[in-house]
Amino acid sequence: METVTINNNFKSEEYFINMGPQHPATHGVLRLILTIDGEIIKRVEPDLGYIHRSIEKMCEGDSYQQIVHLTDRMDYLSSHINNEAVCLTVENALEIDAPERVKVVRTILSELTRIASHCLWWGVMGMDVGALTTYFYGFRDREMINDIFEETCGARLTMNYNIPGGLMFDIHPNFVNRTKAFVAHFKSKLPEYDELLTGNVIFQKRTKGVGVLSKEDAISFGASGPVGRGSGYSCDVRKHHPYSAYDRVVFTESLRTEGDTFARYLVRIQEMWESLAIIEQLIDNIPDGDHKVTTNAVIKLPKGEFYQRVETARGELGVYIISTGTKSPYRLKFRSPGFSNLSLLNHIAVGGKIGDLVASMATLDLVIPDIDR
């Protein structure tokens, strides 16, 4: 049969469909324009901007204390870590050394945040491929962490506990006991995740050998976090550029070499175990002392350029500030992990089916407000 070319873009057997921005598998307002031949994907083109809020531009008119109240609205599942990144950038620029108590508490809260994010991801990952029960298991455990957050700072999702120079106020008297209770609980429940989903034959068929990303391509696309480490790329900021209290704990960077969807899944499962180990090393060793250092009511950074990177639940978040010596940044840029990780979606999806795209996209763990900002 003669093949007819239409507009030099689509062959007669090919057509395109919209996946999103309301599709449940896109996890927010993300539109994917799929070029498909039958059910075989020929091209994936993300269409962004549906939740763009000009956060970076807004930061240029805010004080450094006010910026912290915007960054937790980007990757809202890593809100504490996002805020810590801004505070560390300001503290480094001012040459302020936060109290040791602050460093340890920040690290514990960051790892609780990571576990909470991965619990939500795991529950939704299973639901995306047809395993509804995982959603309830993941949220069961995540609720315990949210209760700790609420008692500590009054919020369960978008937290404003970090401030330049320390913490808004000291930890709650119940913080240590409730955190230790959660660690004991979750260590007994995490094996259920493997029993329910990891070892499931159908789940493995849906994820093994699907969405393969080589180490070289991971580096080329700027992948970070579990996406990069699932391809054997050692990129954990906590290991390579330690901050807060990560230089005083022992943990293993989770790495896999297969580069497929199942490898990225296993990296996040292992990361939850490592986060528990970090918390256990610190929770009984929180130093006494102040919960913040005194700063000026109006913070002005010296003239110059400042950069700080941290490891969120999705990968490397970078904060780049250009200061002219005023109370607001002249320019502020966030290097979000989700944007770089999304850029490789077409690379790993072409040649697969739409069902494979759903599974692969789930292990990119996209939070769209982190990409759009």
Side-chain angles (χ1 to χ4, degrees), residues 194-245:
D194 290 330
E195 294 173 10
L196 187 62
L197 193 60
T198 310
N200 187 287
V201 176
I202 298 175
F203 178 74
Q204 292 189 11
K205 289 286 187 181
R206 292 288 306 274
T207 55
K208 285 188 175 181
V210 174
V212 177
L213 177 71
S214 69
K215 179 180 179 180
E216 293 74 21
D217 287 334
I219 296 172
S220 177
F221 279 102
S224 61
V227 177
R229 291 191 285 277
S231 298
Y233 174 35
S234 177
C235 56
D236 195 326
V237 178
R238 300 171 296 171
K239 278 286 189 183
H240 295 282
H241 305 279
Y243 56 93
S244 294

Side-chain angles (χ1 to χ4, degrees), residues 37-196:
D37 182 0
E39 199 171 330
I40 303 301
I41 295 174
K42 297 297 185 180
R43 177 178 171 82
V44 179
E45 183 179 353
D47 184 18
L48 303 173
Y50 288 90
I51 197 170
H52 181 67
R53 295 148 294 163
S54 297
I55 284 181
E56 291 173 348
K57 193 64 179 178
M58 291 167 62
C59 289
E60 295 173 13
D62 290 337
S63 68
Y64 292 101
Q65 293 97 325
Q66 291 171 321
I67 290 173
V68 179
H69 296 271
L70 293 175
T71 50
D72 53 271
R73 268 76 175 173
M74 299 191 308
D75 176 4
Y76 46 80
L77 298 179
S78 297
S79 57
H80 172 83
I81 308 175
N82 296 347
N83 294 345
E84 182 179 9
V86 174
C87 292
L88 288 172
T89 310
V90 174
E91 290 164 8
N92 292 340
L94 296 175
E95 298 183 349
I96 292 176
D97 190 23
E100 293 301 309
R101 182 176 182 84
V102 171
K103 294 179 182 178
V104 172
V105 172
R106 281 178 174 176
T107 304
I108 294 173
L109 288 172
S110 291
E111 294 311 307
L112 287 173
T113 300
R114 197 178 318 278
I115 294 173
S117 176
H118 285 354
C119 283
L120 186 147
W121 159 81
W122 180 81
V124 175
M125 166 80 186
M127 191 169 61
D128 281 349
V129 295
L132 181 62
T133 309
T134 60
Y135 188 83
F136 302 104
Y137 277 58
F139 271 72
R140 171 199 63 188
D141 302 326
R142 181 173 176 269
E143 280 299 294
M144 291 186 67
I145 299 178
N146 287 347
D147 290 341
I148 296 172
F149 289 160
E150 184 177 15
E151 191 174 60
T152 301
C153 66
R156 300 173 68 85
L157 186 66
T158 52
M159 294 171 286
N160 296 123
Y161 190 46
N162 281 306
I163 60 173
L167 307 171
M168 190 168 289
F169 32 76
D170 208 352
I171 56 176
H172 193 277
N174 294 336
F175 178 78
V176 172
N177 289 335
R178 294 195 71 166
T179 301
K180 291 169 73 171
F182 166 75
V183 170
H185 162 84
F186 197 52
K187 288 178 73 173
S188 68
K189 297 301 181 183
L190 194 48
E192 294 180 356
Y193 290 24
D194 290 330
E195 294 173 10
L196 187 62

Side-chain angles (χ1 to χ4, degrees), residues 14-32:
E14 296 179 359
Y15 57 98
F16 76 90
I17 61 173
N18 287 307
M19 183 176 178
Q22 289 85 22
H23 196 286
T26 59
H27 299 284
V29 281
L30 170 66
R31 176 190 178 209
L32 299 177

